[in-house]
Amino acid sequence: WSSDVCSSDLGCVYKDEVEKADRYKIFKDNVEFIESFNKAGTKSYKFGINQFADLTNAEFKATRNKYRNLVQV
């Protein structure tokens, strides 16, 4: 992982070195989870690195569910 790879391949932009360091830790934790999940081989699918790899689970869920509360029956 490097800022060059992240910026060019995944579109990551950080406001400063502190945020970059925080995101790197989250990224490393996520990679560890991905590798562990894929190694277990208990599912028919695998996880991979993408533009969401430096988000916490809560941040990811918030980006994916932002319209859920607008459409209520």
Side-chain angles (χ1 to χ4, degrees), residues 48-66:
I49 304 298
N50 59 29
Q51 69 271 28
F52 306 112
D54 66 344
L55 298 179
T56 65
N57 198 29
E59 289 169 331
F60 175 76
K61 286 180 180 179
T63 66
R64 308 302 350 148
N65 296 325
K66 64 183 176 181

Side-chain angles (χ1 to χ4, degrees), residues 7 12-23 54:
S7 295
C12 305
V13 177
Y14 306 114
K15 67 180 179 182
D16 57 30
E17 291 299 314
V18 173
E19 181 184 20
K20 185 176 172 181
D22 290 343
R23 292 290 166 193
D54 66 344

Side-chain angles (χ1 to χ4, degrees), residues 2-45:
S2 75
S3 60
D4 295 338
V5 171
C6 189
S7 295
S8 63
D9 291 350
L10 302 176
C12 305
V13 177
Y14 306 114
K15 67 180 179 182
D16 57 30
E17 291 299 314
V18 173
E19 181 184 20
K20 185 176 172 181
D22 290 343
R23 292 290 166 193
Y24 180 63
K25 183 187 180 325
I26 293 166
F27 174 82
K28 286 192 330 182
D29 291 344
N30 287 340
V31 168
E32 185 178 310
F33 172 79
I34 290 166
E35 290 174 347
S36 174
F37 178 90
N38 291 345
K39 185 177 180 180
T42 58
K43 302 290 183 183
S44 61
Y45 56 90

